[in-house]
Amino acid sequence: MMKTWLLISLAVLAMAPVCAQTNLPRDTTPVLQTVIVKAYDQNRQLKEVSAAINVINTAQLERYNNTNILPALNATPGVHMEERSPGSYRLNIRGSTLRSPFGVRNVKVYWNGIPFTDPGGNTYLNQLSYFNINSIEVLKGPASSLYGAGTGGAVLINSQPDELQPGINLQYSTGSFNSQNINAQVILGNNEHSNTFGYTHQTSDGYRYHTNMRRDVATWETRIKANDKQQLSASVLYGDLYYQTPGGLTPAQYNANARASRPAAGAFPSAEDAQAAIYQKTFLAGINHQYRFSENLQNTSVVYGAFSNIKNPTIRNYERRTEPHFGGRTVFNYNKQWQQSSLQVSFGGEGQRGFFNTKTFGNAGGQPNVVQTDDDIDNYIYSGFVQSDLHLPGNWSVSAGVSINKSSITITRLTGAETGKLTATFNSEWAPRVAISKKILPGLLLYGSVSRGFSPPGTAEILPSTSIINTSLQAEHGVNYEAGFKSNWLQQRLYVEVNAFYYQLKNAIVQRRDASGADYFDNAGSTRQRGIESQASYQLLPNSHRFVSNARLWASHTYNKFRYHDFKVVTTDYSGNTLPGIAEHTMAAGVDVTTRPGWYINLTWFYSDPTALNDANTDMATSYNLAGGRTGWRTSLGKTLIMDVFAGVDNVFDVTYSLGNDINATGSRYFNTAPGVNYYGGISFRYRFGSNQ
């Protein structure tokens, strides 16, 4: 049925440009789009920033299936997002998933300037729908000098464009595995005072057995410009997420039936019999205030409160977590301009506090029974930071920053034989960063940087799903050396960026899994992480006054040589082995074509090298190639309404591969199979109030 629907849609799309009565307004500029970076409080063009930063804008997000951000992030060098089952995400920036059995750890995430990573170190990125994201900035490598503790990097997510267009946005899409996605958004007001209301409902039966998913997200965002000096904005989000967890498969199970969920084994029930799943609800509200004291000095401050409630029946127990937390961040920016020089100084602080509770029960077919453990968790993390950026004559720039960080986790066990209080505190860790750049030609910037990263173990690592408290874990830290260039050529139609890094990480925290699939963590000595990340984008056409108005080729490549430098477990020496879960080479490439009548096509290819699955490197996930594409017709229906009809296919060659391997899994239960060939299609309408188009 889905294939028939797709063929009909493609036929309609092929005829649509001929039948179109009204053409869309098009940008006739032949050069690549100017990208402004807000990371490190730079507010400068991407090509002028001396850091490895990738910006994923709306156009890059919209070229895929509009259900999640995974494919757009995986086209980014140095970044790899995984989906173990629908709704279960992991985000890898330069090896950060070493600590992530699920979710996002060791990466600091902000949403509309609000800390989205909780004080325990977890980020529930799956509580955001695709439609809660307008742009993403990915900071690769240690960003602790301005964004607190973390060795993996930082992600800045913005939900709204700088210029709002009042109106109504509606979209519906459907696809393979009975996937359905509905989004409605209403934007009222203007750039002085606006309100945005949004709601998304998404469901899927999933590719594997026992992978049903449902997500509902409601948001309200407001922006008030009181006067030329101050602006106030607020973001409120409520997310209700449910997804089944099928569990990892052994190589034999994976080869016999890759779509299966974990079967019963010994004393452990199957994932289906245990009704293994995640029930997750999150409420978050944050207020952002910007105030300009003078032409040279301004402040941005954020305060927020959040509450998450998680229920997680597994094959070994049933876990309930309540996680209320609050926090804030304030940044002062001072700017001074001279004839050929300028100085910007940013300073401030960030703090978060959580009062969590985690209870584990026996699991009786998906229902809790006898209490096994009951833990109160008091956690906090604070940081203070300062950064200066000096731009000198001769196109030289120097950036220097440092932060000081403190964190603490106190766990009070309320039940059982081992009741009492245990505290792990990590004090006064300094995280400096220095970068220097030189524009040696009008289109060529060279830069280099040295930074130190610091990341204490999070709450879920001190108290993992084994329910065994481990206060012996130490914070990981390391020094990152980086150099690269950014260039614009051929009248700014060709953009090329290459950066190389060498990261020495000590006390690296790595994930283990026991026979039941529960995770626990160890410090793994030291690692040496070397890599080269490159990307290029080329605007094919010198002008857009033709049938094809825009055509772009792009490609990215990541080379990672990540090795254990000094790591022994009892008498076993893993020194020199490849870090598990990280492919040595990944590549992505694509072509985007848009025509003046409104028809467009986006084609994408992705390749991953084989990946080690354990510290011993005795088991490997095979390499794989993926190909897919989207085509559609976008046109104006009158002056105020834009329609977009689209259809597409992912994994067109039906490749069997695992996306989100459970590394170091006992019993070799590594594999979480990704979907085979799958199709999607949909329609969207954008109605603009008072539009003059």
Side-chain angles (χ1 to χ4, degrees):
M1 178 65 183
M2 190 62 212
K3 292 182 179 180
T4 303
W5 189 95
L6 179 68
L7 291 174
I8 294 172
S9 298
L10 292 175
V12 172
L13 296 171
M15 296 173 60
V18 179
C19 303
Q21 299 296 315
T22 306
N23 293 341
L24 280 175
R26 294 290 173 189
D27 184 0
T28 58
T29 305
V31 299
L32 296 172
Q33 181 183 7
T34 300
V35 179
I36 302 298
V37 171
K38 298 180 180 179
Y40 293 113
D41 283 327
Q42 295 279 310
N43 293 310
R44 303 177 67 202
Q45 292 189 41
L46 174 64
K47 62 184 181 181
E48 298 177 349
V49 177
S50 54
I53 298 172
N54 278 96
V55 178
I56 301 169
N57 58 28
T58 305
Q60 292 165 294
L61 291 169
E62 287 184 343
R63 65 185 309 280
Y64 302 101
N65 59 18
N66 293 12
T67 57
N68 65 50
I69 60 176
L70 183 148
L73 282 169
N74 285 346
T76 302
V79 181
H80 189 57
M81 189 172 179
E82 302 169 346
E83 189 172 32
R84 300 166 70 242
S85 61
S88 178
Y89 301 143
R90 294 197 307 206
L91 182 60
N92 183 343
I93 302 178
R94 294 184 177 176
S96 61
T97 50
L98 282 175
R99 297 168 56 177
S100 300
F102 56 87
V104 179
R105 295 183 188 166
N106 201 25
V107 173
K108 194 66 176 287
V109 178
Y110 297 82
W111 182 64
N112 293 338
I114 303 167
F116 203 73
T117 301
D118 68 32
N122 278 330
T123 303
Y124 298 126
L125 194 60
N126 51 11
Q127 289 286 194
L128 295 175
S129 80
Y130 166 88
F131 298 98
N132 300 131
I133 298 170
N134 180 73
S135 64
I136 306 171
E137 294 185 24
V138 181
L139 289 68
K140 296 177 289 188
S144 303
S145 63
L146 204 62
Y147 298 105
T151 59
V155 176
L156 313 182
I157 299 174
N158 189 20
S159 67
Q160 293 191 345
D162 292 333
E163 297 293 328
L164 287 174
Q165 290 184 300
I168 300 173
N169 300 328
L170 300 172
Q171 177 168 303
Y172 169 76
S173 63
T174 185
S176 300
F177 324 122
N178 195 28
S179 63
Q180 311 284 330
N181 198 18
I182 301 170
N183 177 69
Q185 185 184 61
V186 178
I187 305 170
L188 304 173
N190 51 45
N191 287 324
E192 302 294 322
H193 183 196
S194 65
N195 286 282
T196 302
F197 303 90
Y199 172 72
T200 300
H201 174 71
Q202 183 180 357
T203 60
S204 174
D205 291 345
Y207 176 71
R208 293 176 63 189
Y209 306 147
H210 197 68
T211 54
N212 287 3
M213 184 271 282
R214 173 194 53 78
R215 174 166 44 212
D216 292 278
V217 182
T219 57
W220 169 58
E221 299 168 66
T222 187
R223 184 187 301 172
I224 302 171
K225 185 176 180 181
N227 49 51
D228 292 338
K229 286 191 173 183
Q230 62 179 325
Q231 177 176 295
L232 187 70
S233 60
S235 301
V236 178
L237 177 144
Y238 174 75
D240 184 354
L241 173 67
Y242 162 75
Y243 62 91
Q244 296 173 327
T245 54
L249 300 177
T250 67
Q253 294 163 349
Y254 177 71
N255 292 326
N257 182 8
R259 300 185 68 169
S261 58
R262 174 174 172 163
F268 298 109
S270 68
E272 186 174 0
D273 289 340
Q275 292 297 296
I278 296 285
Y279 302 81
Q280 182 174 306
K281 297 180 180 180
T282 293
F283 175 82
L284 179 144
I287 298 174
N288 185 314
H289 180 254
Q290 299 177 30
Y291 189 83
R292 180 175 294 277
F293 296 95
S294 66
E295 185 178 349
N296 304 109
L297 180 64
Q298 67 177 25
N299 171 263
T300 301
S301 294
V302 173
V303 293
Y304 84 94
F307 178 83
S308 293
N309 182 281
I310 299 101
K311 295 187 291 185
N312 180 203
T314 72
I315 64 170
R316 70 185 310 274
N317 58 28
Y318 188 109
E319 186 179 67
R320 282 181 177 171
R321 305 200 306 270
T322 56
E323 298 177 343
H325 56 97
F326 65 93
R329 176 180 175 88
T330 186
V331 182
F332 290 87
N333 286 302
Y334 174 79
N335 295 276
K336 183 67 175 179
Q337 187 81 33
W338 294 279
Q339 288 184 347
Q340 295 182 322
S341 304
S342 65
L343 172 68
Q344 176 177 303
V345 178
S346 303
F347 59 94
E350 180 178 317
Q352 295 176 274
R353 185 90 185 239
F355 301 95
F356 298 178
N357 177 265
T358 298
K359 292 184 177 72
T360 57
F361 306 80
N363 183 5
Q367 297 297 321
N369 53 22
V370 179
V371 176
Q372 297 176 349
T373 61
D374 184 358
D375 300 299
D376 281 340
I377 305 161
D378 181 0
N379 49 24
Y380 67 79
I381 185 164
Y382 303 126
S383 67
F385 49 82
V386 61
Q387 175 181 283
S388 63
D389 295 281
L390 182 61
H391 305 287
L392 299 168
N395 291 315
W396 285 93
S397 293
V398 179
S399 179
V402 64
S403 71
I404 185 169
N405 305 270
K406 181 177 181 179
S407 65
S408 175
I409 300 173
T410 299
I411 300 174
T412 304
R413 178 144 290 179
L414 304 174
T415 61
E418 298 181 358
T419 58
K421 182 180 293 187
L422 293 171
T423 300
T425 302
F426 307 92
N427 291 315
S428 302
E429 291 282 352
W430 292 90
R433 177 181 181 270
V434 178
I436 186 170
S437 67
K438 163 70 173 175
K439 187 180 292 185
I440 61 174
L441 293 171
L444 179 61
L445 177 81
L446 301 181
Y447 71 90
S449 67
V450 180
S451 57
R452 183 179 187 272
F454 156 74
S455 183
T459 299
E461 293 161 334
I462 298 290
L463 181 61
S465 55
T466 59
S467 298
I468 299 172
I469 301 172
N470 181 9
T471 56
S472 65
L473 273 180
Q474 303 176 48
E476 64 179 23
H477 55 85
V479 179
N480 183 67
Y481 303 90
E482 192 150 350
F485 72 84
K486 302 178 180 184
S487 60
N488 265 318
W489 306 107
L490 303 179
Q491 297 178 328
Q492 301 189 52
R493 289 166 52 203
L494 174 64
Y495 179 78
V496 179
E497 179 177 338
V498 179
N499 64 277
F501 63 90
Y502 174 49
Y503 193 16
Q504 299 174 312
L505 187 63
K506 296 182 180 179
N507 293 326
I509 299 173
V510 297
Q511 169 203 346
R512 302 276 187 271
R513 284 184 179 269
D514 66 13
S516 71
D519 54 276
Y520 63 99
F521 301 86
D522 285 331
N523 287 110
S526 61
T527 69
R528 295 293 183 268
Q529 300 173 202
R530 304 174 178 88
I532 301 174
E533 300 157 349
S534 55
Q535 58 187 314
S537 179
Y538 179 58
Q539 202 81 17
L540 288 171
L541 302 177
N543 64 70
S544 58
H545 299 291
R546 56 184 69 190
F547 176 75
V548 176
S549 60
N550 184 43
R552 184 176 73 105
L553 289 173
W554 59 268
S556 67
H557 174 256
T558 303
Y559 166 65
N560 289 324
K561 188 175 181 181
F562 289 7
R563 301 288 187 269
Y564 286 121
H565 178 68
D566 181 15
F567 179 34
K568 295 181 181 179
V569 177
V570 192
T571 59
T572 305
D573 190 353
Y574 296 122
S575 302
N577 285 10
T578 297
L579 269 63
I582 303 160
E584 187 164 320
H585 291 274
T586 59
M587 289 178 279
V591 58
D592 304 319
V593 177
T594 304
T595 67
R596 290 181 64 79
W599 175 78
Y600 62 88
I601 186 168
N602 310 113
L603 302 176
T604 308
W605 167 76
F606 179 84
Y607 166 79
S608 175
D609 258 358
T611 304
L613 297 172
N614 58 8
D615 290 333
N617 294 175
T618 54
D619 293 320
M620 303 288 292
T622 59
S623 63
Y624 58 89
N625 286 272
L626 303 176
R630 166 174 165 159
T631 185
W633 176 48
R634 187 181 296 118
T635 188
S636 295
L637 303 177
K639 295 182 178 181
T640 59
L641 183 63
I642 297 175
M643 180 183 72
D644 186 358
V645 183
F646 61 89
V649 57
D650 288 326
N651 194 2
V652 66
F653 299 118
D654 200 21
V655 175
T656 300
Y657 70 105
S658 176
L659 186 62
N661 300 303
D662 294 335
I663 61 176
N664 289 317
T666 301
S668 301
R669 296 185 180 278
Y670 304 118
F671 300 104
N672 291 282
T673 316
V677 59
N678 59 98
Y679 306 89
Y680 61 89
I683 187 169
S684 71
F685 294 96
R686 299 181 182 181
Y687 177 75
R688 295 292 174 254
F689 299 145
S691 175
N692 294 321
Q693 294 182 16

